[in-house]
Amino acid sequence: MHDIADLEGRGIPGGFIASSEFEQAADAQELALGFVPNRVYVPHPIQDRTDDEVRALADDAFEDIVAMVQQ
């Protein structure tokens, strides 16, 4: 999140993509840093999925990701 905050501070859209398993950890870090980054969560887990399943996750999240960086 430090990198995202740095980018945002320089006027460069930033954000992160993570699996839903990491929502609570991201929320905790957000509170600790006092910075609310743009984010998109995809279903967990990722590592056990086939290439086609990962592509489907990316396709499903594509519009949210584009919207995230256009804010």
Side-chain angles (χ1 to χ4, degrees):
M1 282 197 204
H2 290 94
D3 292 340
I4 299 166
D6 178 60
L7 289 171
E8 292 282 340
R10 294 188 281 144
I12 301 168
F16 69 86
I17 304 158
S19 73
S20 56
E21 181 70 17
F22 297 98
E23 285 185 61
Q24 288 182 337
D27 290 344
Q29 190 170 17
E30 169 186 308
L31 288 174
L33 296 175
F35 172 72
V36 181
N38 294 319
R39 67 198 61 203
V40 173
Y41 292 106
V42 297
H44 187 79
I46 293 175
Q47 71 272 13
D48 296 337
R49 296 182 186 266
T50 66
D51 289 350
D52 288 338
E53 290 171 329
V54 172
R55 282 187 201 94
L57 285 176
D59 288 343
D60 290 345
F62 182 77
E63 288 184 25
D64 291 334
I65 294 166
V66 171
M68 174 179 65
V69 296
Q70 290 181 334
Q71 294 181 359

